[in-house]
Amino acid sequence: MRFQEDLTFYLNGKMASGTGTEALELLPALLARYRRLEALRHDYPLVLFRGEEGPEMRPLSALLDDALEKLPRDEEGDRLRYRARRMEQEIRKNSRDQVESLSTLWEQAQAEIAGSSSSREPGSLKEDLARLREMLPAVAQVIDCGPQAPSRALKHLWEGEQARKAARLGRRIDRLLMGLENLLRADEAASAAGLSANRLRESMGPGFASEFDFKSMSQLLTALPHTGLPESRRERIRQLIHTLKSQRFFPTALDSKEKSLYEFTFTSCAEALRAYYQRLPRMIALAKAILMAELEVEGTYREDVHDSLFRQMGISELEPLQEFPDYLIYLNVSQAPVGELFKLIEALSAGLSIKVLLQIDDLRYHLESGNGHPGGGIRSEQLARMALGLGDVFVLQAPASHLARVSEHVRRGLRYPGPALFCVYSGAQGRSEGFPPYLMAAAALESRAFPLWVYDPAAGPDWASRFSVEGNPRPEQDWPMHQLTYEDAEHQRRQEEIAFTPVDFLALDPRLSGHLSPVPPDRWHDRMVPVAVFLEEEAEDLPQRVPYLLMVDSQDRLHRVLVTRKLIQEAQRYREHWHALRELGGVCNSFVERAVAEERRAWEEELARQSAETPPEVESEQEAPVEAAVAEETVSEEAPSPTRSPDEPYIETERCSSCNECIQINDRMFRYNENKQAYIADLSAGTYEEIVRAAERCQLAIIHPGKPWNPDEPNLEELMKRAEPFL
Ligand code: SF4
């Protein structure tokens, strides 16, 4: 009876809104530990600044870590580290939903800390904070993960790239202008006007006015044959100077500050294309002018050859165009009319040098009909795949939570001499629902709802070099697995390995709460299975079991929540998409797997043939080790996973994403195993401060510092407070 009711819910959904997960404030169990995100160190806020090599974009936590690394390991160094952590926490809290200068946030945090500090604290707070501030970029902007983060971050890097190109082309133009003007000056100096008595007097200066007879000198010089520039060349040079000086594509050092330049950022593909085509004749004229001016300055321009050559020259032969500014277009899928999205594909396929940020705030609107989103007919990931199909478009898909980590890819896309599409999920829908966008974005990646991938046509000749899914957790698996530790009804600590699937991600959306139905423990039955198991079984039309999701309420109580077929179908669709991407990226490639299987079968057949030809040696003892090995395996498979004490330092090794953060802190204390996943190799090789710092830096929050092992280590009280969120 219970199963029948649950099956009806699975097949037909959906409950009346408000009777499900909303009322209980349920979160997927694996996200429960991130409820207080502000207490955890993560990639936000991001700091945008100009480094020595150009624009930089780094997490505040990483900037501080680098600065603190240089401090000595003494009392003063530890005090500064402690104060830096407090500043970081305050800035993280105050920067929520903000775009603000680092200096303003720093002053604000400083005032708050000064207000709450005791006068008995050692060392001058003011001096310490001034010292810490000097270690950070003087001018910087701080952004939180939210609707503005993708455009701010991309524009920051784009401006740096444009400034680099403009500086190169500007220098080239200024040099040419000087050369062309010198040619005209020399020509004029040798002309009758240039050799008049007055001009000769002016050129010698007032000190020599009485020393020479400028009139006779002029008569003498003008009597000589004049070998000035032919009029056609003089006119061409004047025209080139005019074209180079009047261009409005980028500033040069010789330009006046008031010069009005073209705008290159747009919020509409149609407008960007219109501007591009309107400016195209001037772009071509300027590029040709640069090439012609170079020949003029060298003195190698030949009218009989070059006039017709330049008339016929095609756009692809105009090398200076590569240095012209790129068009930056911001499109928000949820707001852009459908026509804009088709225009986008048109613009990308035209091969123009445009860079497009395609921002997605809401990944889930298509699940609910009548949502009113203008772009509702096209799924955002379809646009990225369409661009991939064009072959010569650089495409990056990444959630906003990972922007700092993919900044090198973004730079490569901006430098790519062709169209580039940056498809970014902001997670911003989460903000309006009270859930931080950073977590929404990170959950989309973790669940495979929005995997990270990059296609760089300039990276090499084949797919293996061009396409990558690196950066996704456990790419060889359908879903990443995580340890869930909880207390059961008998107050026993339990550990379970569960998958994080797209259903976990979809369960965060209050609009889908009608597809979730919590089941009280007294109604649980053995035909309920976790979502990942259900997905593995490939549900039939009339399944024999029903899927549930583990969720946690605001009191940290665990619930089983039934989900509908609609969510399962959505998860299946995400899985198919993930499989396709994975194959493109060379992970679990079906062609390779088939070839390996065939090779193995051939090898096994050959082995069987050989053993059939060889008479068997009667050695019954040989079977014993095999049996023993099987017995050992069974025991180890059945062995319960150890239950950890919160006092014990450990790493959830199987969840490690090999980011290197902990290893960089102490590579003797932390080591990688054969799967390149971190574990604690030797506690005595490091300090409690180091394991706490590693826990704070670990983006997955899988390092658990436990309790200190050396009672003589300084600042233990403070370190234990910092360790609390990770126990
Ligand atoms: S355990 Fe270390 S290497 Fe693994 S994710 Fe955490 S910080 Fe990175």
Side-chain angles (χ1 to χ4, degrees), residues 34-221:
Y34 303 109
R35 243 190 237 278
R36 282 188 58 239
L37 180 66
E38 278 156 11
L40 298 174
R41 296 188 92 201
H42 56 280
D43 276 4
Y44 281 83
L46 272 184
V47 185
L48 313 181
F49 61 100
R50 282 198 77 79
E52 281 169 17
E53 314 248 310
E56 297 262 358
M57 173 169 86
R58 300 200 64 205
L60 176 65
S61 53
L63 271 179
L64 278 170
D65 284 345
D66 286 354
L68 298 176
E69 206 62 53
K70 296 173 199 133
L71 292 174
R73 300 255 156 226
D74 57 14
E75 200 181 317
E76 190 189 9
D78 287 342
R79 192 183 68 233
L80 282 163
R81 275 186 202 91
Y82 166 61
R83 287 181 165 160
R85 292 280 168 255
R86 286 179 69 189
M87 287 297 282
E88 184 189 327
Q89 264 183 8
E90 287 300 322
I91 292 176
R92 178 167 292 120
K93 188 181 79 197
N94 295 334
S95 66
R96 197 171 156 164
D97 291 340
Q98 298 280 330
V99 176
E100 191 49 274
S101 80
L102 177 60
S103 297
T104 306
L105 286 167
W106 188 271
E107 281 164 23
Q108 199 180 342
Q110 179 163 349
E112 279 163 27
I113 289 179
S116 64
S117 296
S118 133
S119 54
R120 291 201 304 277
E121 279 189 27
S124 158
L125 179 70
K126 203 170 161 198
E127 279 169 26
D128 280 359
L129 296 188
R131 211 172 137 194
L132 288 168
R133 179 66 187 92
E134 273 171 23
M135 296 175 180
L136 298 174
V139 181
Q141 205 177 40
V142 178
I143 57 171
D144 186 25
C145 190
Q148 297 191 47
S151 55
R152 295 273 178 170
L154 187 65
K155 185 154 191 234
H156 177 66
L157 297 183
W158 175 83
E159 280 173 345
E161 188 53 28
Q162 303 320 302
R164 216 168 50 83
K165 291 207 289 185
R168 271 200 306 258
L169 205 49
R171 275 198 301 274
R172 191 169 166 187
I173 287 185
D174 285 345
R175 207 176 47 244
L176 289 172
L177 276 171
M178 278 193 279
L180 292 173
E181 281 169 344
N182 281 345
L183 281 174
L184 287 186
R185 259 196 295 275
D187 179 53
E188 203 201 336
S191 68
L195 295 175
S196 70
N198 281 344
R199 293 291 283 277
L200 289 173
R201 192 176 297 111
E202 277 165 24
S203 65
M204 296 297 275
F208 296 95
S210 54
E211 303 285 323
F212 295 101
D213 178 354
F214 288 105
K215 200 170 171 189
S216 310
M217 195 187 285
S218 171
Q219 280 166 357
L220 204 64
L221 289 171

Side-chain angles (χ1 to χ4, degrees), residues 688 707-717 720:
Y688 190 60
K707 290 277 179 309
W709 52 91
N710 173 7
D712 298 329
E713 189 174 327
N715 293 328
L716 281 183
E717 205 179 319
M720 282 165 68

Side-chain angles (χ1 to χ4, degrees), residues 6 31 43 75 78 127 175 197 232 238 241 244 294 354 362 416 433 451 474 617 622 677:
D6 292 346
L31 291 180
D43 276 4
E75 200 181 317
D78 287 342
E127 279 169 26
R175 207 176 47 244
S232 61
R238 281 198 201 106
I241 291 175
L244 296 181
E294 274 166 352
I354 55 169
D362 184 0
Y416 175 65
E433 294 156 11
R474 298 305 190 90
E617 287 175 31
Q622 275 190 356
Q677 291 182 299

Side-chain angles (χ1 to χ4, degrees), residues 270-456:
E271 276 173 31
L273 283 177
R274 204 172 307 124
Y276 176 86
Y277 286 116
Q278 266 173 8
R279 297 169 192 173
L280 187 59
R282 278 181 223 132
M283 274 170 70
I284 293 174
L286 178 57
K288 284 185 181 174
I290 293 170
L291 295 176
M292 289 166 80
E294 274 166 352
L295 294 173
E296 282 294 0
V297 172
E298 282 169 10
T300 51
Y301 191 96
R302 283 177 48 199
E303 284 177 7
D304 54 337
V305 176
H306 293 114
D307 279 0
S308 67
L309 190 78
F310 277 107
R311 256 195 311 277
Q312 290 160 19
M313 202 172 259
I315 193 165
S316 59
E317 297 162 278
L318 295 171
E319 152 274 313
L321 287 181
Q322 288 177 13
E323 298 285 7
F324 275 50
D326 299 315
Y327 289 67
L328 180 62
I329 306 170
Y330 306 106
L331 280 187
N332 191 312
V333 176
S334 319
Q335 292 158 12
V338 179
E340 265 300 314
L341 303 180
F342 288 117
K343 227 25 182 189
L344 165 68
I345 297 296
E346 183 190 323
L348 293 173
S349 49
L352 312 179
S353 194
I354 55 169
K355 312 293 170 190
V356 183
L357 168 65
L358 186 67
Q359 180 165 322
I360 300 139
D361 291 338
D362 184 0
L363 268 181
R364 301 149 290 162
Y365 58 80
H366 52 266
L367 272 173
E368 295 296 277
S369 54
N371 53 60
H373 282 287
I378 304 179
R379 283 175 190 265
S380 45
E381 67 268 28
Q382 281 174 330
L383 286 163
R385 273 181 288 164
M386 275 190 232
L388 179 64
L390 294 172
D392 59 356
V393 178
F394 181 102
V395 190
L396 169 68
Q397 175 172 295
S401 52
H402 285 58
L403 277 178
R405 290 163 195 231
V406 297
S407 62
E408 238 352 275
H409 289 317
V410 176
R411 281 198 179 89
R412 286 218 317 271
L414 291 172
R415 281 181 197 151
Y416 175 65
L421 177 68
F422 305 97
C423 193
V424 180
Y425 170 53
S426 71
Q429 184 72 21
R431 170 57 74 223
S432 60
E433 294 156 11
F435 199 66
Y438 174 81
L439 275 186
M440 291 297 297
L445 176 97
E446 189 75 17
S447 66
R448 317 288 194 213
F450 198 77
L452 194 165
W453 58 268
V454 61
Y455 174 74
D456 179 0

